[in-house]
Amino acid sequence: MYLHKRLLHRLAVSLEMCKEEGFQAGIAELGRTLRRILFQKSEYVVVANELSDQLPLTDPEPGLVIRQLTTLDEIGQLNQIVNPVDMARFYEMFDRGSIVFAAFQSGYVVGCCWISDEADWSVNRVQPPLRSGDACVHDLFVSPSYRSQGIGRVLVSHRLRYLCEHGYKRAIGAVRKGNVPAFKINKKTGYIHIGEMSHRRILFWDWFSYNVPDG
């Protein structure tokens, strides 16, 4: 269902671009959307952080506040930084018990990150396999105008501190190959490369493959 909504959203974006940026820009976006519908191939690096009291954690700069969102009204504030399709997914993740932290600058939401303690591919399609004591970390996002200010690293550090304090043994996630900023943040916050995974989709059918050790 999430995939269908996202594709419909992309089609709507294409039509809007036709109106705002001209027919050629809209057709180009429509072509990219159709390619996503027909076939998609993505490769990921699986990273993990063996949680301990010696984690290299980063405290927020003055003016930046990180806090957990605990009500539906608070989750609704994330619509300032993500599209309506992701908002629908975020509401569903929250309903299923996932945890979210948001970064606030001068009272405005500027970033967020999520934690799930079980694999649920219906709302978070790219998850590595989990073992007992694992938490899946995902959906780290910082608003474009606030990037390169260390906010992502602070969010990751806050998330790791929460996991340590609540008895988790390992944080594990999947990072798309080529996502250089994410790899930089992971390296600075103690994550290591433990495996790889891939995702293939033809129309609405998905295939996942994993190369992740059990131990």
Side-chain angles (χ1 to χ4, degrees):
M1 183 61 70
Y2 163 68
L3 178 60
H4 299 158
K5 290 180 179 178
R6 189 163 186 83
L7 291 174
L8 288 173
H9 173 73
R10 297 307 308 171
L11 289 172
V13 168
S14 301
L15 294 175
E16 192 64 28
M17 288 185 69
C18 284
K19 297 177 183 178
E20 296 183 355
E21 301 182 26
F23 181 77
Q24 187 173 355
I27 289 299
E29 179 63 24
L30 180 60
R32 288 190 288 269
T33 297
L34 291 175
R35 285 195 295 273
R36 293 189 186 102
I37 294 174
L38 294 173
F39 177 74
Q40 186 169 332
K41 174 182 176 182
S42 301
E43 303 291 338
Y44 298 86
V45 173
V46 179
V47 297
N49 191 312
E50 300 289 344
L51 301 170
S52 73
D53 294 334
Q54 306 302 315
L55 289 173
L57 302 180
T58 304
D59 291 320
E61 296 292 329
L64 182 69
V65 175
I66 309 294
R67 62 182 177 85
Q68 183 180 350
L69 306 183
T70 58
T71 69
L72 287 174
D73 286 342
E74 289 181 330
I75 298 297
Q77 296 178 78
L78 298 177
N79 66 11
Q80 300 173 42
I81 60 172
V82 300
N83 65 55
V85 178
D86 280 326
M87 276 303 305
R89 184 168 61 91
F90 285 176
Y91 280 124
E92 191 169 355
M93 289 194 300
F94 181 74
D95 285 342
R96 298 187 183 200
S98 293
I99 295 165
V100 58
F101 294 98
F104 293 83
Q105 187 79 271
S106 301
Y108 294 96
V109 176
V110 298
C112 67
C113 63
W114 287 79
I115 301 168
S116 300
D117 60 8
E118 61 181 27
D120 188 347
W121 284 273
S122 65
V123 291
N124 183 25
R125 301 184 65 78
V126 181
Q127 289 195 33
L130 305 181
R131 68 188 187 192
S132 178
D134 281 353
C136 180
V137 292
H138 53 93
D139 284 287
L140 172 66
F141 182 81
V142 176
S143 183
S145 58
Y146 288 88
R147 292 173 186 172
S148 301
Q149 299 180 29
I151 295 173
R153 182 176 177 182
V154 174
L155 278 166
V156 170
S157 293
H158 196 93
R159 180 165 61 182
L160 290 173
R161 182 181 290 120
Y162 175 91
L163 294 175
C164 285
E165 292 173 351
H166 287 78
Y168 289 91
K169 303 301 182 184
R170 187 174 70 157
I172 185 169
V175 181
R176 189 189 295 268
K177 291 184 177 179
N179 188 344
V180 176
F183 285 117
K184 287 182 178 179
I185 292 174
N186 288 334
K187 184 176 181 180
K188 291 176 180 178
T189 51
Y191 283 89
I192 61 171
H193 175 169
I194 65 165
E196 297 182 346
M197 63 176 288
S198 64
H199 171 222
R200 306 286 188 278
R201 190 184 74 240
I202 299 175
L203 292 177
F204 300 111
W205 290 272
D206 295 277
W207 292 267
F208 295 90
S209 61
Y210 305 94
N211 181 15
V212 183
D214 294 330

